[in-house]
């Protein structure tokens, strides 16, 4: 394939001026062979990962330097620790968490993910152990992440898992709660944390890639000044093709360097707190004066469809979440609109019907009570199982009042503490059991 001078100049501009980067390269590793009923044997087997992680870290740096493409984070995903705790005692989860943290720190890995469990319909010994130790493990680590899959279209929604999860995050430091999430329909190959884990059905090892590039699409729209919705869709689609193509190029290069299979490119647009790197900025460039105004959902639906069509043309290896994230604290314009009142929780719920954001990186005041947070999470997960979507919640419980801002720094940005509706929902959220799977389940029959 030959490229014109204009196309080469365009890619250079994307990389140097429009914050195009690879958000993460993730090495996904099957660690199930490390399971033992002796914790010392398990920890010793985890030590065998050191040489692999060292090679991975070196390979990512080498590929980044070779192509001149910034790779923001190196991540590792392991098999859910739940499976280890089916045979080990609950306290051993803490030891495994500490070992994973040690491996990441020693080998220059930014995040290591997999302190996770599946509890869609109910609990096993292992899943309950993960939930019960979540706060202690996350408070004592900095690179470890985890998730609880508490709902699925096939199995329904486990409300007891939601309640236990909320109990745990209310006991976490703000930074620690940014590293855990609760999901519906978690995919087995996500490169994004906290949802990343090495899923069932995957090869022993693989490389997954997450792209970025909101600034590229925003600037393409501004330069082109489209006069029709079809033209707007096409501009986004073409930009998404180029972004995804770069993701596949980098992923396959790391895969070749490592000698392990290439897994997938997650097509999701991932913003950052930097100015000009905002998904909300794209919506506003499309003609919505303030994100959250009427028409925002329609604009986001156009964006999502164009990204998926352009991205799927660029690579046959599509995986992960492959949508758009609108994490409020990690998107500078979203944070502004939340403070201004244009974006509230129901705005985020509505937007989640056409993307995979859910409620992501939003502060909640502990003073407003656990029942409202439980209700909020159940709203998101119910939307996920009804629409058969991957949706999650990552909220940051803090002691501060609604309307305040907590600066977590780096990619996490400034967390806006948003006001929950001041309505008592305890009579509903105190009901035990699970919400049955919806009629959507029968479509698989």
């Amino acid at each position: 394939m030959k490229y014109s001078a204009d196309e080469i100049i365009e890619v250079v501009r994307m990389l140097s001026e429009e914050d195009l980067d690879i958000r993460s390269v993730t090495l996904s590793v099957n660690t199930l062979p490390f399971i033992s009923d002796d914790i010392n044997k398990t920890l010793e087997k985890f030590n065998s990962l050191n040489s692999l992680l060292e090679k991975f870290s070196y390979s990512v740096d080498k590929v980044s330097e070779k192509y001149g493409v910034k790779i923001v984070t190196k991540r590792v995903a392991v098999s859910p620790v739940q499976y280890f705790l089916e045979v080990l005692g609950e306290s051993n989860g803490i030891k495994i968490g500490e070992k994973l943290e040690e491996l990441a720190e020693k080998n220059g890995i930014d995040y290591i993910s997999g302190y996770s469990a599946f509890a869609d319909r109910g609990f096993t010994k292992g899943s309950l152990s993960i939930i019960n130790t979540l706060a202690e493990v996350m408070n004592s680590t900095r690179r470890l992440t985890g998730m609880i899959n508490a709902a699925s279209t096939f199995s329904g929604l486990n409300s007891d898992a939601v309640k236990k999860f909320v109990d745990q995050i209310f006991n976490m430091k703000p930074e620690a709660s940014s590293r855990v999430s609760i999901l519906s329909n978690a995919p087995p190959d996500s490169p994004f944390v906290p949802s990343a884990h090495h899923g069932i059905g995957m090869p022993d090892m693989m490389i997954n890639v997450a792209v970025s590039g909101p600034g590229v699409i925003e600037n393409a729209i501004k330069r082109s000044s489209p006069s029709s919705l079809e033209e707007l869709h096409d501009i986004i689609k073409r930009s998404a093709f180029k972004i995804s193509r770069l993701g596949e190029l980098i992923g396959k290069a790391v895969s070749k360097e490592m000698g392990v299979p290439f897994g997938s490119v997650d097509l999701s647009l991932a913003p950052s707190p930097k100015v000009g790197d905002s998904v909300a900025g794209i919506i506003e460039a499309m003609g919505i004066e303030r994100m959250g105004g009427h028409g925002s959902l329609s604009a986001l639906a156009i964006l999502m469809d164009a990204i998926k069509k352009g991205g799927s043309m660029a690579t046959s290896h599509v995986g992960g979440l492959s949508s758009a994230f609108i994490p409020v604290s990690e998107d500078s314009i979203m944070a502004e609109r939340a403070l201004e009142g244009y974006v509230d929780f129901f705005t985020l719920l509505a937007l989640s019907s056409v993307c995979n954001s859910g409620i992501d990186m939003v502060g909640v005041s502990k003073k407003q009570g656990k029942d409202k947070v439980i209700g909020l999470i159940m709203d998101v997960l119910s939307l996920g199982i009804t629409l058969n979507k991957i949706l999650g919640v990552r909220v940051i419980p803090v002691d501060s009042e609604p309307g305040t801002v907590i600066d977590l720094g780096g990619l996490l940005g400034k967390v806006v503490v948003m006001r929950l509706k001041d309505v008592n929902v305890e009579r509903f959220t105190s009901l035990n059991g699970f919400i049955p799977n919806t009629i959507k389940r029968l479509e698989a029959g």
Side-chain angles (χ1 to χ4, degrees), residues 285-307:
M286 292 170 75
I288 306 295
E289 183 183 19
R290 293 286 186 275
M291 176 63 164
H294 297 300
S296 296
L297 178 59
S298 182
L300 185 61
I302 293 170
L303 175 64
M304 289 301 88
D305 185 66
I307 287 172

Side-chain angles (χ1 to χ4, degrees), residues 123-187:
F123 300 108
T124 64
K125 176 176 176 284
S127 63
L128 194 57
S129 295
I130 289 291
I131 295 178
N132 288 341
T133 56
L134 206 54
E136 184 174 356
V137 170
M138 292 301 154
N139 282 336
S140 63
T141 56
R142 295 186 60 82
R143 301 171 189 242
L144 181 66
T145 77
M147 69 92 191
I148 305 298
N149 194 80
S152 67
T153 302
F154 267 53
S155 299
L157 193 165
N158 184 354
S159 70
D160 296 325
V162 175
K163 294 170 199 172
K164 289 180 180 294
F165 178 82
V166 171
D167 285 340
Q168 290 292 311
I169 61 174
F170 266 60
N171 288 315
M172 289 184 194
K173 304 169 187 174
E175 184 279 329
S177 58
S178 74
R179 291 183 280 113
V180 295
S181 62
I182 187 164
L183 277 82
S184 65
N185 298 314

Side-chain angles (χ1 to χ4, degrees), residues 318-344:
V318 176
L321 304 175
S322 287
S323 187
F325 294 131
I326 319 177
V328 176
S329 78
E330 296 175 16
D331 188 308
S332 59
I333 293 179
M334 279 296 287
E336 286 179 28
R337 301 300 172 251
L339 282 171
E340 293 165 352
Y342 293 103
V343 171
D344 61 14

Side-chain angles (χ1 to χ4, degrees), residues 116-318:
S116 306
F118 288 77
D120 319 3
R121 178 67 66 89
F123 300 108
T124 64
K125 176 176 176 284
S127 63
L128 194 57
S129 295
I130 289 291
I131 295 178
N132 288 341
T133 56
L134 206 54
E136 184 174 356
V137 170
M138 292 301 154
N139 282 336
S140 63
T141 56
R142 295 186 60 82
R143 301 171 189 242
L144 181 66
T145 77
M147 69 92 191
I148 305 298
N149 194 80
S152 67
T153 302
F154 267 53
S155 299
L157 193 165
N158 184 354
S159 70
D160 296 325
V162 175
K163 294 170 199 172
K164 289 180 180 294
F165 178 82
V166 171
D167 285 340
Q168 290 292 311
I169 61 174
F170 266 60
N171 288 315
M172 289 184 194
K173 304 169 187 174
E175 184 279 329
S177 58
S178 74
R179 291 183 280 113
V180 295
S181 62
I182 187 164
L183 277 82
S184 65
N185 298 314
D189 60 350
S190 171
F192 281 105
V193 296
S195 64
H197 64 281
H198 189 82
I200 300 298
M202 300 296 106
D204 275 335
M205 284 184 283
M206 61 181 180
I207 297 293
N208 298 320
V209 173
V211 298
S212 184
V216 171
I217 293 177
E218 179 182 348
N219 282 294
I221 294 169
K222 289 178 176 178
R223 280 195 304 272
S224 302
S225 299
S227 58
S228 70
L229 293 173
E230 295 95 329
E231 187 181 350
L232 175 62
H233 184 280
D234 193 59
I235 290 166
I236 297 169
K237 183 176 66 177
R238 289 172 180 272
S239 296
F241 177 90
K242 294 164 187 173
I243 293 168
S244 302
R245 203 72 169 152
L246 177 67
E248 183 179 65
L249 171 69
I250 297 301
K252 286 187 172 180
V254 174
S255 175
K256 183 178 180 181
E257 187 70 28
M258 289 282 295
V260 303
F262 176 60
S264 63
V265 178
D266 191 317
L267 305 180
S268 303
L269 285 181
S272 77
K274 292 185 296 184
V275 174
D277 198 26
S278 164
V279 172
I282 299 174
I283 302 302
E284 295 186 358
M286 292 170 75
I288 306 295
E289 183 183 19
R290 293 286 186 275
M291 176 63 164
H294 297 300
S296 296
L297 178 59
S298 182
L300 185 61
I302 293 170
L303 175 64
M304 289 301 88
D305 185 66
I307 287 172
K308 290 179 179 180
K309 286 176 177 173
S312 60
M313 283 294 290
T315 176
S316 298
H317 297 261
V318 176

